[in-house]
Amino acid sequence: MEILIDAPGPYGLLKGTMLGPASKHDPVVLIIPGSGPTDRDGNNSLGINTSTYRLLAEGLATRNITTVRIDKRGLFASAAATPDPNAVTIADYVTDIDAWVSVIRQHTGAPSIWLLGHSEGGLVALAADKKREDVRGLLLVSTPGRRGGELLREQLRANPANVPLLCQALSAIDSLENGNRVDTTDMPPALLGLFRPQLQGYLISNFSYDPAQLLENYQKPVLILQGLRDIQVREVDARILKQADPQAMLALLPNVNHVLKHVASDEWTDNVAIYADPELPLAPGVIDAISDFIEKHNGCFSKV
Protein backbone atom coordinates (compact mmCIF):
# COMPACT_ATOMS: atom_id res chain seq x y z
CA MET A 1 0.00 0.00 0.00
CA GLU A 2 1.34 3.46 -0.95
CA ILE A 3 0.50 6.46 1.21
CA LEU A 4 1.67 10.08 1.37
CA ILE A 5 3.26 11.18 4.65
CA ASP A 6 4.94 14.32 5.91
CA ALA A 7 7.44 15.44 8.52
CA PRO A 8 8.07 18.84 10.10
CA GLY A 9 10.52 21.16 8.34
CA PRO A 10 11.86 24.55 9.43
CA TYR A 11 9.25 26.62 7.54
CA GLY A 12 6.79 24.06 6.21
CA LEU A 13 6.22 20.35 5.79
CA LEU A 14 8.61 17.83 4.26
CA LYS A 15 6.80 15.37 1.99
CA GLY A 16 7.32 11.73 1.16
CA THR A 17 5.76 8.45 0.04
CA MET A 18 5.58 5.26 2.09
CA LEU A 19 5.21 1.94 0.31
CA GLY A 20 4.95 -1.49 1.83
CA PRO A 21 3.25 -3.62 4.45
CA ALA A 22 4.37 -1.31 7.31
CA SER A 23 3.60 -3.82 10.05
CA LYS A 24 5.47 -3.69 13.34
CA HIS A 25 7.36 -6.83 12.40
CA ASP A 26 8.57 -5.75 8.95
CA PRO A 27 11.77 -3.73 8.41
CA VAL A 28 11.48 -0.10 7.30
CA VAL A 29 13.95 1.74 5.07
CA LEU A 30 14.25 5.50 4.59
CA ILE A 31 15.66 6.26 1.11
CA ILE A 32 17.83 9.41 1.17
CA PRO A 33 18.26 11.05 -2.27
CA GLY A 34 21.53 11.96 -3.93
CA SER A 35 22.79 15.40 -4.89
CA GLY A 36 21.08 18.11 -6.89
CA PRO A 37 17.37 18.67 -7.55
CA THR A 38 16.53 14.98 -7.25
CA ASP A 39 12.97 14.01 -6.37
CA ARG A 40 11.63 11.17 -4.26
CA ASP A 41 11.53 8.84 -7.28
CA GLY A 42 15.17 9.50 -8.20
CA ASN A 43 14.61 11.85 -11.15
CA ASN A 44 15.67 15.43 -11.80
CA SER A 45 15.58 18.15 -14.42
CA LEU A 46 19.27 17.74 -15.26
CA GLY A 47 18.72 14.73 -17.49
CA ILE A 48 18.17 11.94 -14.97
CA ASN A 49 14.96 10.04 -15.63
CA THR A 50 15.53 6.60 -14.13
CA SER A 51 13.00 6.34 -11.27
CA THR A 52 15.67 4.48 -9.33
CA TYR A 53 14.18 5.18 -5.89
CA ARG A 54 10.66 4.25 -6.94
CA LEU A 55 11.97 1.00 -8.40
CA LEU A 56 13.92 0.32 -5.21
CA ALA A 57 10.76 0.85 -3.18
CA GLU A 58 8.69 -1.41 -5.41
CA GLY A 59 11.34 -4.12 -5.42
CA LEU A 60 11.83 -4.07 -1.66
CA ALA A 61 8.06 -4.19 -1.13
CA THR A 62 8.03 -7.60 -2.80
CA ARG A 63 10.33 -8.74 0.02
CA ASN A 64 8.05 -7.33 2.74
CA ILE A 65 10.29 -4.32 3.33
CA THR A 66 8.56 -0.97 3.79
CA THR A 67 10.21 2.11 2.33
CA VAL A 68 9.81 5.85 2.64
CA ARG A 69 11.19 7.98 -0.19
CA ILE A 70 11.32 11.73 0.23
CA ASP A 71 11.56 15.10 -1.49
CA LYS A 72 14.47 17.09 -0.08
CA ARG A 73 14.03 20.32 1.84
CA GLY A 74 12.97 23.12 -0.51
CA LEU A 75 12.35 20.92 -3.55
CA PHE A 76 9.22 19.55 -5.24
CA ALA A 77 6.47 18.80 -2.69
CA SER A 78 8.84 19.84 0.12
CA ALA A 79 9.25 23.34 -1.36
CA ALA A 80 7.52 25.00 1.60
CA ALA A 81 10.11 23.68 4.04
CA THR A 82 12.56 26.49 3.22
CA PRO A 83 12.42 29.69 1.16
CA ASP A 84 15.77 28.93 -0.51
CA PRO A 85 16.62 25.32 -1.40
CA ASN A 86 20.17 26.38 -2.27
CA ALA A 87 20.81 27.71 1.24
CA VAL A 88 20.86 24.21 2.74
CA THR A 89 23.76 22.35 4.33
CA ILE A 90 24.49 18.72 5.09
CA ALA A 91 23.66 19.53 8.72
CA ASP A 92 20.22 20.75 7.59
CA TYR A 93 19.58 17.50 5.76
CA VAL A 94 20.65 15.62 8.90
CA THR A 95 18.03 17.56 10.87
CA ASP A 96 15.41 16.53 8.30
CA ILE A 97 16.40 12.86 8.48
CA ASP A 98 16.06 13.08 12.25
CA ALA A 99 12.50 14.35 11.78
CA TRP A 100 11.70 11.65 9.25
CA VAL A 101 12.92 8.82 11.48
CA SER A 102 10.65 10.00 14.29
CA VAL A 103 7.63 10.32 11.99
CA ILE A 104 8.21 6.95 10.33
CA ARG A 105 8.43 5.21 13.69
CA GLN A 106 5.15 6.81 14.71
CA HIS A 107 3.45 5.70 11.48
CA THR A 108 4.77 2.14 11.45
CA GLY A 109 5.41 1.27 15.07
CA ALA A 110 8.86 0.05 14.02
CA PRO A 111 11.42 0.23 16.85
CA SER A 112 14.12 1.35 14.45
CA ILE A 113 14.72 2.38 10.83
CA TRP A 114 17.32 1.49 8.21
CA LEU A 115 18.88 4.44 6.38
CA LEU A 116 19.55 3.87 2.67
CA GLY A 117 21.65 6.68 1.25
CA HIS A 118 22.28 6.85 -2.48
CA SER A 119 25.35 8.74 -3.69
CA GLU A 120 25.54 11.96 -1.66
CA GLY A 121 22.59 10.63 0.33
CA GLY A 122 25.03 8.11 1.79
CA LEU A 123 27.03 10.97 3.29
CA VAL A 124 23.84 12.37 4.81
CA ALA A 125 23.01 8.92 6.21
CA LEU A 126 26.46 8.64 7.77
CA ALA A 127 26.18 12.05 9.39
CA ALA A 128 22.57 11.51 10.49
CA ASP A 129 23.11 8.22 12.24
CA LYS A 130 25.43 9.87 14.77
CA LYS A 131 22.30 11.43 16.27
CA ARG A 132 20.01 8.41 16.46
CA GLU A 133 20.02 5.30 18.58
CA ASP A 134 16.93 4.09 16.73
CA VAL A 135 18.68 3.70 13.39
CA ARG A 136 19.16 0.00 12.82
CA GLY A 137 21.98 0.27 10.30
CA LEU A 138 23.20 1.82 7.07
CA LEU A 139 22.77 0.85 3.42
CA LEU A 140 25.38 2.88 1.54
CA VAL A 141 24.60 2.70 -2.16
CA SER A 142 26.99 4.25 -4.70
CA THR A 143 28.34 6.31 -1.81
CA PRO A 144 31.63 8.25 -2.02
CA GLY A 145 34.36 7.15 0.35
CA ARG A 146 36.31 10.36 -0.19
CA ARG A 147 35.57 13.99 0.57
CA GLY A 148 33.40 15.78 -1.96
CA GLY A 149 36.17 18.04 -3.23
CA GLU A 150 38.44 15.12 -4.04
CA LEU A 151 35.64 13.30 -5.84
CA LEU A 152 34.70 16.40 -7.85
CA ARG A 153 38.30 16.83 -8.98
CA GLU A 154 38.33 13.26 -10.26
CA GLN A 155 35.02 13.66 -12.08
CA LEU A 156 36.17 16.86 -13.80
CA ARG A 157 39.49 15.34 -14.87
CA ALA A 158 37.73 12.25 -16.27
CA ASN A 159 35.93 14.28 -18.96
CA PRO A 160 38.31 15.40 -21.73
CA ALA A 161 35.98 18.30 -22.57
CA ASN A 162 36.88 19.89 -19.23
CA VAL A 163 40.61 20.31 -19.99
CA PRO A 164 40.37 24.07 -20.78
CA LEU A 165 38.43 24.62 -17.55
CA LEU A 166 40.45 22.50 -15.15
CA CYS A 167 42.81 25.14 -13.79
CA GLN A 168 40.01 27.46 -12.74
CA ALA A 169 37.79 24.64 -11.50
CA LEU A 170 40.49 23.07 -9.36
CA SER A 171 41.37 26.43 -7.88
CA ALA A 172 37.72 26.96 -6.94
CA ILE A 173 37.56 23.57 -5.24
CA ASP A 174 40.71 24.40 -3.24
CA SER A 175 39.14 27.63 -2.00
CA LEU A 176 35.85 26.01 -1.04
CA GLU A 177 37.63 23.22 0.82
CA ASN A 178 39.32 25.91 2.90
CA GLY A 179 35.94 27.45 3.71
CA ASN A 180 36.36 30.42 1.37
CA ARG A 181 33.85 31.53 -1.23
CA VAL A 182 34.88 31.99 -4.88
CA ASP A 183 34.53 35.06 -7.08
CA THR A 184 32.57 33.94 -10.16
CA THR A 185 32.67 37.26 -12.04
CA ASP A 186 34.95 35.94 -14.78
CA MET A 187 33.99 32.29 -14.50
CA PRO A 188 32.94 30.66 -17.80
CA PRO A 189 29.29 29.56 -18.04
CA ALA A 190 30.33 25.90 -18.12
CA LEU A 191 31.58 26.21 -14.52
CA LEU A 192 28.88 28.48 -13.14
CA GLY A 193 26.49 25.56 -12.82
CA LEU A 194 28.90 23.98 -10.35
CA PHE A 195 30.15 27.02 -8.48
CA ARG A 196 27.43 29.65 -8.68
CA PRO A 197 27.36 31.80 -5.52
CA GLN A 198 24.03 30.42 -4.30
CA LEU A 199 25.53 26.91 -4.03
CA GLN A 200 28.87 27.76 -2.48
CA GLY A 201 27.66 27.56 1.12
CA TYR A 202 26.40 24.07 0.46
CA LEU A 203 29.65 23.03 -1.22
CA ILE A 204 31.70 24.34 1.69
CA SER A 205 29.50 22.26 4.00
CA ASN A 206 29.73 19.15 1.83
CA PHE A 207 33.50 19.33 1.36
CA SER A 208 34.04 19.49 5.11
CA TYR A 209 32.77 15.93 5.70
CA ASP A 210 34.94 12.82 5.38
CA PRO A 211 32.67 9.79 4.79
CA ALA A 212 35.31 7.24 5.77
CA GLN A 213 36.02 9.06 9.01
CA LEU A 214 32.30 9.10 9.83
CA LEU A 215 32.16 5.33 9.35
CA GLU A 216 35.11 4.49 11.60
CA ASN A 217 34.18 2.64 14.81
CA TYR A 218 30.56 2.29 13.67
CA GLN A 219 28.82 -0.41 15.70
CA LYS A 220 25.77 -1.29 13.59
CA PRO A 221 25.32 -3.34 10.39
CA VAL A 222 26.52 -1.67 7.20
CA LEU A 223 26.03 -2.67 3.57
CA ILE A 224 28.29 -1.00 1.00
CA LEU A 225 26.78 -1.59 -2.45
CA GLN A 226 28.75 -0.44 -5.47
CA GLY A 227 28.25 -0.92 -9.21
CA LEU A 228 31.47 -1.60 -11.08
CA ARG A 229 30.40 0.47 -14.11
CA ASP A 230 29.63 3.54 -12.00
CA ILE A 231 31.19 6.59 -13.72
CA GLN A 232 30.49 8.94 -10.79
CA VAL A 233 31.56 6.97 -7.74
CA ARG A 234 34.25 4.33 -8.14
CA GLU A 235 35.09 0.94 -6.71
CA VAL A 236 37.92 2.63 -4.81
CA ASP A 237 35.31 4.59 -2.83
CA ALA A 238 33.54 1.41 -1.75
CA ARG A 239 36.86 -0.10 -0.71
CA ILE A 240 37.80 3.02 1.29
CA LEU A 241 34.51 2.69 3.17
CA LYS A 242 35.14 -1.02 3.70
CA GLN A 243 38.59 -0.22 5.08
CA ALA A 244 37.02 2.27 7.49
CA ASP A 245 34.59 -0.42 8.68
CA PRO A 246 36.12 -3.86 8.10
CA GLN A 247 32.97 -5.58 9.40
CA ALA A 248 30.76 -3.96 6.77
CA MET A 249 29.35 -6.12 3.97
CA LEU A 250 30.81 -5.13 0.59
CA ALA A 251 28.66 -5.96 -2.44
CA LEU A 252 30.33 -5.20 -5.79
CA LEU A 253 27.92 -5.61 -8.70
CA PRO A 254 29.38 -6.04 -12.20
CA ASN A 255 27.77 -4.22 -15.13
CA VAL A 256 25.85 -1.87 -12.78
CA ASN A 257 26.09 1.92 -13.06
CA HIS A 258 25.50 4.82 -10.66
CA VAL A 259 21.71 4.75 -11.03
CA LEU A 260 21.68 0.97 -10.47
CA LYS A 261 20.88 0.01 -14.05
CA HIS A 262 22.58 -2.66 -16.18
CA VAL A 263 25.37 -1.43 -18.48
CA ALA A 264 27.07 -3.82 -20.88
CA SER A 265 29.72 -1.45 -22.23
CA ASP A 266 32.65 0.61 -20.94
CA GLU A 267 31.65 3.45 -23.26
CA TRP A 268 30.84 6.70 -21.44
CA THR A 269 28.09 7.57 -23.91
CA ASP A 270 26.35 4.22 -23.43
CA ASN A 271 26.42 4.66 -19.67
CA VAL A 272 25.09 8.22 -19.74
CA ALA A 273 22.32 7.28 -22.18
CA ILE A 274 20.85 4.98 -19.53
CA TYR A 275 20.27 7.98 -17.24
CA ALA A 276 17.55 9.18 -19.62
CA ASP A 277 15.76 5.86 -20.19
CA PRO A 278 12.83 5.48 -17.76
CA GLU A 279 11.83 2.07 -19.12
CA LEU A 280 14.87 0.19 -17.82
CA PRO A 281 14.45 -1.92 -14.67
CA LEU A 282 16.99 -2.03 -11.88
CA ALA A 283 19.97 -4.25 -12.62
CA PRO A 284 19.75 -7.88 -11.50
CA GLY A 285 21.12 -8.38 -8.01
CA VAL A 286 20.38 -4.92 -6.60
CA ILE A 287 17.16 -5.78 -4.74
CA ASP A 288 18.50 -9.16 -3.63
CA ALA A 289 21.70 -7.65 -2.20
CA ILE A 290 19.79 -5.06 -0.16
CA SER A 291 16.90 -7.24 0.99
CA ASP A 292 19.11 -10.24 1.85
CA PHE A 293 21.30 -8.00 4.00
CA ILE A 294 18.31 -6.45 5.79
CA GLU A 295 16.73 -9.84 6.44
CA LYS A 296 20.01 -11.18 7.84
CA HIS A 297 20.64 -8.23 10.16
CA ASN A 298 17.20 -6.88 10.99
CA GLY A 299 17.48 -8.03 14.59
CA CYS A 300 21.06 -6.77 15.01
CA PHE A 301 21.94 -3.49 16.66
CA SER A 302 25.61 -4.00 17.50
CA LYS A 303 28.62 -5.75 16.04
CA VAL A 304 30.19 -6.31 19.44
Side-chain angles (χ1 to χ4, degrees):
M1 178 176 65
E2 187 171 273
I3 63 170
L4 301 179
I5 62 172
D6 53 61
Y11 292 90
L13 292 176
L14 302 162
K15 300 286 187 173
T17 299
M18 184 162 66
L19 175 66
S23 81
K24 292 182 180 180
H25 305 292
D26 292 315
V28 183
V29 175
L30 173 59
I31 300 174
I32 305 173
S35 61
T38 302
D39 69 15
R40 72 184 75 182
D41 288 340
N43 303 320
N44 68 39
S45 59
L46 303 178
I48 298 180
N49 188 20
T50 61
S51 296
T52 294
Y53 306 152
R54 177 179 59 77
L55 293 172
L56 277 172
E58 291 172 353
L60 292 173
T62 67
R63 300 286 293 265
N64 292 319
I65 297 171
T66 295
T67 58
V68 174
R69 57 192 197 272
I70 58 176
D71 289 336
K72 295 191 289 186
R73 182 190 294 199
L75 296 174
F76 307 103
S78 297
T82 180
D84 184 0
N86 291 316
V88 179
T89 64
I90 295 294
D92 292 330
Y93 287 141
V94 166
T95 298
D96 295 344
I97 297 307
D98 189 58
W100 274 117
V101 170
S102 296
V103 165
I104 293 166
R105 291 188 64 205
Q106 292 168 8
H107 270 271
T108 65
S112 61
I113 309 297
W114 290 90
L115 299 184
L116 187 158
H118 176 249
S119 192
E120 185 183 88
L123 174 62
V124 176
L126 282 162
D129 186 56
K130 299 297 182 181
K131 297 182 61 178
R132 304 292 308 211
E133 294 183 359
D134 50 4
V135 170
R136 193 170 292 263
L138 299 176
L139 311 165
L140 304 177
V141 179
S142 309
T143 295
R146 295 165 286 171
R147 290 180 184 269
E150 183 179 350
L151 192 69
L152 182 55
R153 286 188 189 94
E154 180 180 279
Q155 291 172 345
L156 289 168
R157 286 175 173 141
N159 187 347
N162 291 329
V163 170
L165 307 171
L166 272 182
C167 183
Q168 192 169 5
L170 298 181
S171 176
I173 294 171
D174 291 343
S175 295
L176 294 166
E177 283 180 326
N178 290 318
N180 301 317
R181 291 180 176 267
V182 178
D183 183 1
T184 60
T185 303
D186 298 320
M187 188 170 281
L191 291 181
L192 278 176
L194 282 175
F195 301 115
R196 64 184 186 273
Q198 302 96 315
L199 289 179
Q200 290 186 22
Y202 176 75
L203 292 174
I204 289 170
S205 165
N206 181 296
F207 293 175
S208 70
Y209 287 85
D210 184 338
Q213 189 176 68
L214 289 172
L215 191 54
E216 289 177 356
N217 302 313
Y218 188 74
Q219 296 301 311
K220 301 174 192 174
V222 177
L223 171 67
I224 302 165
L225 188 147
Q226 178 64 41
L228 296 182
R229 292 197 189 273
D230 190 331
I231 56 176
Q232 294 180 246
V233 176
R234 303 291 183 173
E235 179 183 350
V236 64
D237 290 282
R239 294 198 178 277
I240 288 170
L241 292 172
K242 171 67 173 175
Q243 186 175 16
D245 182 4
Q247 296 185 75
M249 172 68 181
L250 177 61
L252 300 176
L253 302 182
N255 302 320
V256 176
N257 72 356
H258 190 69
V259 292
L260 308 181
K261 303 298 180 77
H262 180 268
V263 185
S265 165
D266 285 326
E267 291 296 324
W268 176 284
T269 52
D270 293 345
N271 202 314
V272 171
I274 288 171
Y275 285 53
D277 188 344
E279 301 302 320
L280 292 175
L282 293 181
V286 171
I287 295 298
D288 285 344
I290 296 171
S291 56
D292 288 350
F293 182 83
I294 290 173
E295 289 164 6
K296 178 179 178 181
H297 293 282
N298 199 47
C300 301
F301 275 90
S302 176
K303 299 174 183 175
V304 295

